[in-house]
Amino acid sequence: MTAPSGPESFVQGHQPPGGGLDVEGHRIEVAGRFTALVNAGELELPLPGSGDTRSRWSALTRIAEADLALARLCEGHADALAILAELTFLSVPGVPTPVPGARWAVWAAEPPGAVLRAERTEAGGWALSGRKPYCSGARVCTDALVTARDGDQRRLFAVSTAVGVAPVPDSWPAAGMAASDTLDLDFDRVPAVPLGEPGAYLARPGFAHGGIGVAACWFGGARAVAATLLRAAAAHGPEPHTLAHLGAVDARLEAVSALLDRAAVELDADPADRKGGAALRSMRVRAATEDTAMAVLHHVGRALGAGPLGHDREHARQVTDLTVYLRQYHGERDLAGLGAALADAERERR
């Protein structure tokens, strides 16, 4: 395992004010950095399946190595642009054209409880009302792709956050990923443009492709945490237990890197998913990356103890943020989905 080579120029020199403990200062700094990246066009990454998918994922990984909260906003923006491009290619009516400087998000979480409803207006349009949880970039994003319920079905809409959208105070009290500004939002008859028919958001190939972009961010966070162990091993000399943990971390990270390489080649060869392998590919990459990142947290903690968690605020923030970010993976539920897909494929083959 090599030490992180450093992020691209647009994230070099990142030093959150006050370190990981200055939550509000860090959030403001991340919002400013995200805005600068969008304005500079640095997040107009190669689209999934464009022939350069690996470069897309590598860019997200490098941003995540510098700051996972920043990566969360950048990944959401890049994913939104990819979704809009995909829908435009599919000739879906009403797809907006992103304007320079617009900061996009994808708000698609639908946990039990709060429900965002889509309703027809008297003028024949659509409006969204209700509460949407887990909206990363709640106070910095200007536009969003949002899922809402049209009756009992999930449907995708494009909205501006300029009018009718209000953050719910204290809806993210935790320190982990606090700088990603992930708040619940209340929608009050917010004008919305439907993008595709009900259910189409999950059915399109790009949904699976986008899931690997999230895993690329997890990978960057794991590399950042692992870098602390690498530096400690180099500084402390041949201590066998530290070296054993370092070896275990390196093997896992290199395996994920190779898996991302292969996934990018396969995706670029079949961007429209005519062979039907996108969902299985995404589930495998996400499962392997989450497992590796959890293992990195375990090995680094066992090797280094409480020292860097108590005295290295950057490392402590990386560990805290990665622990929270990984919970976008739904554990045994997602593993069961992978197992079901494998079993279905085996039955079809017989």
Side-chain angles (χ1 to χ4, degrees):
M1 179 188 71
T2 58
S5 58
E8 297 288 3
S9 60
F10 49 84
V11 289
Q12 284 180 346
H14 167 72
Q15 291 293 334
L21 298 181
D22 182 6
V23 173
E24 183 62 10
H26 187 202
R27 181 190 71 79
I28 293 171
E29 191 272 344
V30 165
R33 181 76 62 168
F34 173 55
T35 299
L37 296 179
V38 172
N39 290 341
E42 297 284 3
L43 298 181
E44 296 173 11
L45 306 178
L47 294 173
S50 64
D52 199 17
T53 299
R54 191 65 180 93
S55 293
R56 175 187 182 85
W57 295 340
S58 294
L60 293 174
T61 295
R62 287 191 293 271
I63 296 171
E65 285 184 83
D67 192 311
L68 276 170
L70 177 62
R72 177 67 190 91
L73 301 186
C74 293
E75 185 277 326
H77 177 84
D79 189 37
L81 297 186
I83 293 170
L84 293 172
E86 180 182 19
L87 297 178
T88 299
F89 177 78
L90 295 173
S91 300
V92 172
V95 178
T97 300
V99 300
R103 299 180 294 276
W104 284 84
V106 179
W107 297 330
E110 295 193 3
V115 177
L116 186 63
R117 294 289 181 190
E119 298 176 343
R120 284 282 192 177
T121 66
E122 293 181 359
W126 290 84
L128 307 185
S129 296
R131 181 164 293 183
K132 191 66 175 176
Y134 300 127
C135 297
S136 296
R139 288 172 285 186
V140 69
C141 289
T142 61
D143 299 86
L145 299 179
V146 186
T147 58
R149 290 288 164 169
D150 176 10
D152 293 331
Q153 294 183 294
R154 177 186 289 188
R155 192 166 186 174
L156 185 68
F157 295 85
V159 301
S160 166
T161 63
V163 178
V165 179
V168 178
D170 300 321
S171 50
W172 189 271
M177 293 297 285
S180 69
D181 203 24
T182 302
L183 302 176
D184 294 358
L185 292 176
D186 281 335
F187 285 64
D188 183 12
R189 297 190 62 76
V190 175
V193 177
L195 301 178
E197 296 301 315
Y201 170 69
L202 297 178
R204 62 192 176 81
F207 180 77
H209 303 339
I212 301 180
V214 176
C217 294
W218 299 341
F219 181 53
R223 281 181 53 85
V225 172
T228 302
L229 175 57
L230 178 61
R231 290 191 294 268
H236 297 157
E239 196 285 310
H241 295 101
T242 301
L243 295 179
H245 286 295
L246 179 62
V249 163
D250 176 75
R252 284 180 172 269
L253 289 174
E254 287 299 305
V256 168
S257 181
L259 186 59
L260 287 168
D261 289 345
R262 191 182 79 175
V265 171
E266 292 175 351
L267 197 164
D268 285 335
D270 186 20
D273 195 30
R274 291 185 175 87
K275 296 180 180 178
L280 183 58
R281 180 190 310 120
S282 180
M283 286 189 284
R284 282 173 168 163
V285 172
R286 287 169 64 88
T289 307
E290 188 267 353
D291 183 67
T292 288
M294 291 296 292
V296 168
L297 291 170
H298 169 78
H299 283 290
V300 173
R302 290 290 290 268
L304 302 181
L309 291 174
H311 298 98
D312 182 342
R313 60 191 179 191
E314 185 74 7
H315 175 78
R317 179 176 59 78
Q318 289 164 341
V319 169
T320 302
D321 285 352
L322 181 59
T323 301
V324 173
Y325 202 174
L326 287 173
R327 296 287 51 86
Q328 281 195 353
Y329 189 78
H330 301 116
E332 281 65 29
R333 189 175 77 186
D334 283 356
L335 288 173
L338 172 56
L342 292 169
D344 289 344
E346 178 64 17
R347 280 190 291 269
E348 291 177 4
R349 200 172 59 142
R350 289 181 178 179

